[in-house]
Amino acid sequence: MQPVANTNAVNLSASNPCDVDRASSPINNNNYKYELDSTSAVPVAPGDKQELSETDSLEKGTRPDQVPSTQGPLLDVGKKPFLYHVRTHKHYITLTILLALFTDMVSYGIIIPIMPSIIEHMGGDSTKTGVLVAVYAAGLMSASPVFGTISDKMASRRLPMMIGLTGLLTSTIIFMFAKVYWLLIIARFFQGVSGGAVWTLGLALMTDSFPANEMGIQMGKSLIGHTMGLLGGPPIGGLLHDAYGERAPFYFCIAFAALVITALGFLIEVRADEALELREFDTELRERARAKGIEYTVPVQTSLWQIITTKRMLAAVTVTTLEAFDLSSLEPTLPFYLRARFGMTEGQIGLVFIAFTMPTIVSPLAGWVSDRYGAKVLCSTAVIICGCLMLVLSIENKPLWGIVLNLVGIGLSTSSFIAPILGEISAVVRRTGDSTAYARAFAIFNMAFSFGMLIGPIIAGYIYQHHGFKWNCITTACILFFFVPILIMWMGDRKQKMEDVAMYEREEEERRMMLADVKLIKAERKAAEELNAATLCQPAV
């Protein structure tokens, strides 16, 4: 039986919005000053809180006079999941990404001090060692754009990250049992592929979770995991190797991979849920915007090429490549140099690499500075200082304590000039107008980083074998100095940073308005369904 028309029914169609709808028109309505309740994500115009409460009552099945004075979160329907506030808290998200980056990079760096003995046992030399380091970068470079594109289409970052970490765990097990060089190459490549998922999706998840004026400091916190893993991997590997045997470093990586997979499984992506809601109600949102006389802007589709050819992005890519090149040029050569000159064991070499990890605490500070003053001054100054320190490192016959102090300075400078880059990349994407391109942009970051890691060990291994450690350091310093003018000309300054924050706030206001409309649409749908059900139940006259 078809529903009987009811002349008393309210028209709830999107083309003829109700009074409540008019009271909370989503975007560009300057006649209202929108306020945000301290416990609600719904923007409300002054004097219209009663109307919104009545709409909420339709959704919850209560009378308006029974609606509590405090509203719940926008998408909070029913009981919250277990430990919801912990699983969505910004500190938990930052800690999870920190551990993920640490696990990825420690898996990369933990074999550095034991690599010479492994390669020499298989009949290799420093060139083969450099190739093995670089293969990881090849996997990272090839996988990053794939994971970036997939993630932007899915909206979720968590599940692909878990898959990537599972692959990392598997490839580490293969590496642990490998007996021939070609199997090491395969395992190392797939470690890089897994790293592409962790980096691309982890940084995109950070962008989803934090506002523009906090991006630098939060990214700086997460990058502590990156730097500690990259530069702490060698000392951890050397100490575990000497204390517990050749497989102990790999057990360490496996345990951390399992820990991070568990932490990601516990995490809740609120922003992904909201993005899926907006996609689901896209048609209705367009109809409502047209009914209110608001021009609905079709989202811009930005390609990887459009992002990477932006001058500001090119500067960010340059800094990223320089950091990776600087660090990876030392990783395959410094262990050989220390063994040849000082006769160090794997564990002692690992202890020297601790000098790199000591300055990682400055990453959040560098991010804080970039949040307020922009990335240009900080990054260009840090690159210049790093180049000067590489020249000092090239001086021959230095005592061991001098080398250690030099490495502390290099670690300090590299930690300073990489933290602001992630905020720069987010700003570039925001200015393109494509809000779904963040994972693809961080895929470019990964590709730049992996390119530096790819060419750094190969070039450094060749120069060390034919000309020695001195010219390896001089070459790295010259490359750093060469690209400084690009950073000075193209990186974002304080004025651009303030513009980035203002643009982010406008986007967030628009998103909140659209989410408020989604809630109204859901309430109207439910009210219409209840009205139709009540009409069907009326006895025939």
Side-chain angles (χ1 to χ4, degrees):
M1 180 175 65
Q2 297 295 325
V4 179
N6 189 333
T7 56
N8 296 321
V10 180
N11 188 344
L12 297 172
S13 67
S15 60
N16 185 19
C18 61
D19 292 339
V20 177
D21 188 12
R22 296 190 188 98
S24 60
S25 59
I27 309 167
N28 300 330
N29 188 343
N30 297 321
N31 297 324
Y32 295 96
K33 179 182 178 182
Y34 289 96
E35 299 176 344
L36 198 61
D37 192 292
S38 61
T39 57
S40 173
V42 183
V44 183
D48 294 328
K49 291 185 178 180
Q50 176 63 29
E51 286 90 327
L52 283 177
S53 296
E54 292 174 2
T55 306
D56 287 345
S57 69
L58 291 174
E59 186 174 2
K60 298 176 182 177
T62 58
R63 298 194 312 272
D65 58 345
Q66 295 175 326
V67 177
S69 59
T70 354
Q71 296 172 321
L74 179 63
L75 299 176
D76 181 18
V77 180
K79 187 177 179 181
K80 292 180 181 178
F82 177 68
L83 293 178
Y84 177 83
H85 293 294
V86 174
R87 298 166 69 181
T88 59
H89 198 280
K90 65 179 183 179
H91 294 323
Y92 180 74
I93 294 171
T94 301
L95 178 61
T96 301
I97 302 305
L98 184 154
L99 290 173
L101 297 182
F102 172 81
T103 301
D104 175 59
M105 297 315 298
V106 81
S107 299
Y108 162 80
I110 205 166
I111 69 165
I112 298 298
I114 61 178
M115 196 183 302
S117 60
I118 294 175
I119 299 300
E120 287 175 358
H121 181 72
M122 296 180 179
D125 52 21
S126 63
T127 302
K128 281 193 173 183
T129 304
V131 171
L132 190 60
V133 173
V135 164
Y136 175 94
L140 185 67
M141 184 184 297
S142 61
S144 293
V146 176
F147 281 110
T149 303
I150 292 173
S151 176
D152 281 337
K153 291 182 178 179
M154 291 178 61
S156 174
R157 322 292 189 187
R158 185 173 61 93
L159 182 59
M161 276 187 72
M162 293 175 69
I163 295 172
L165 282 163
T166 303
L168 180 64
L169 189 151
T170 304
S171 60
T172 302
I173 293 173
I174 295 173
F175 198 99
M176 179 172 61
F177 291 103
K179 298 297 183 183
V180 291
Y181 183 75
W182 63 266
L183 194 55
L184 293 179
I185 292 290
I186 292 174
R188 196 68 165 164
F189 177 82
F190 282 102
Q191 279 184 343
V193 170
S194 302
V198 173
W199 271 94
T200 301
L201 305 172
L203 297 179
L205 179 58
M206 293 286 289
T207 301
D208 292 344
S209 305
F210 298 103
N213 59 351
E214 293 183 23
M215 190 64 64
I217 188 170
Q218 297 299 337
M219 289 291 193
K221 290 176 182 177
S222 67
L223 283 175
I224 291 177
H226 151 68
T227 310
M228 289 183 67
L230 178 65
L231 302 176
I236 292 172
L239 292 172
L240 290 176
H241 177 275
D242 287 355
Y244 301 104
E246 60 182 14
R247 292 185 178 177
F250 301 104
Y251 290 137
F252 180 88
C253 295
I254 291 168
F256 262 88
L259 173 64
V260 178
I261 291 170
T262 303
L264 283 169
F266 190 68
L267 187 144
I268 295 176
E269 289 182 272
V270 176
R271 193 62 173 255
D273 294 337
E274 292 174 348
L276 292 174
E277 289 260 316
L278 292 177
R279 292 181 187 182
E280 179 184 352
F281 291 96
D282 180 69
T283 303
E284 290 90 338
L285 289 171
R286 293 190 188 198
E287 291 176 355
R288 296 172 82 86
R290 282 196 295 267
K292 297 168 190 173
I294 299 172
E295 182 180 355
Y296 189 96
T297 305
V298 179
V300 178
Q301 295 295 321
T302 306
S303 66
L304 285 173
W305 179 251
Q306 289 173 309
I307 296 172
I308 201 171
T309 51
T310 306
K311 288 183 178 180
R312 197 170 171 185
M313 187 69 178
L314 284 172
V317 164
T318 300
V319 173
T320 305
T321 306
L322 290 177
E323 192 224 17
F325 180 87
D326 177 39
L327 297 178
S328 64
S329 66
L330 290 175
E331 286 170 349
T333 58
L334 187 59
F336 280 98
Y337 175 71
L338 294 174
R339 286 181 66 186
R341 184 173 174 196
F342 299 103
M344 288 186 170
T345 66
E346 284 82 357
Q348 291 171 331
I349 292 171
L351 289 174
V352 172
F353 269 84
I354 291 179
F356 274 134
T357 66
M358 292 172 62
T360 55
I361 192 66
V362 305
S363 290
L365 178 61
W368 180 86
V369 172
S370 68
D371 283 340
R372 282 149 184 80
Y373 303 104
K376 178 184 292 187
V377 174
L378 183 63
C379 288
S380 56
T381 302
V383 171
I384 292 172
I385 292 173
C386 187
C388 294
L389 290 172
M390 290 298 297
L391 288 178
V392 174
L393 188 62
S394 69
I395 299 174
E396 297 178 335
N397 300 320
K398 290 189 303 299
L400 182 61
W401 63 266
I403 294 174
V404 171
L405 287 179
N406 228 148
L407 295 177
V408 170
I410 292 171
L412 180 65
S413 57
T414 52
S415 297
S416 298
F417 68 67
I418 194 62
I421 294 306
L422 305 177
E424 284 285 284
I425 294 173
S426 297
V428 169
V429 176
R430 192 169 294 115
R431 288 172 180 266
T432 66
D434 187 353
S435 60
T436 65
Y438 288 104
R440 277 169 282 163
F442 287 117
I444 296 173
F445 167 85
N446 277 349
M447 293 169 70
F449 189 84
S450 58
F451 178 71
M453 292 174 67
L454 181 65
I455 62 174
I458 295 175
I459 293 175
Y462 177 83
I463 293 175
Y464 178 84
Q465 189 169 349
H466 292 85
H467 304 286
F469 187 71
K470 172 183 175 180
W471 285 102
N472 177 40
C473 296
I474 293 174
T475 302
T476 301
C478 292
I479 292 173
L480 290 172
F481 291 139
F482 180 80
F483 287 100
V484 169
I486 292 178
L487 311 186
I488 295 174
M489 290 187 296
W490 292 347
M491 291 202 79
D493 54 16
R494 177 180 172 83
K495 179 181 177 182
Q496 288 174 300
K497 184 64 181 182
M498 296 303 103
E499 292 173 354
D500 298 338
V501 173
M503 185 177 295
Y504 170 83
E505 291 174 349
R506 289 194 299 270
E507 286 184 357
E508 283 299 288
E509 180 68 12
E510 179 178 341
R511 187 181 67 86
R512 285 194 294 266
M513 300 299 182
M514 294 174 70
L515 289 169
D517 264 8
V518 167
K519 186 168 186 178
L520 292 172
I521 291 169
K522 291 166 70 175
E524 291 170 2
R525 282 184 178 181
K526 188 165 186 178
E529 291 172 0
E530 292 175 352
L531 183 61
N532 285 336
T535 304
L536 286 171
C537 293
Q538 288 179 355
V541 179

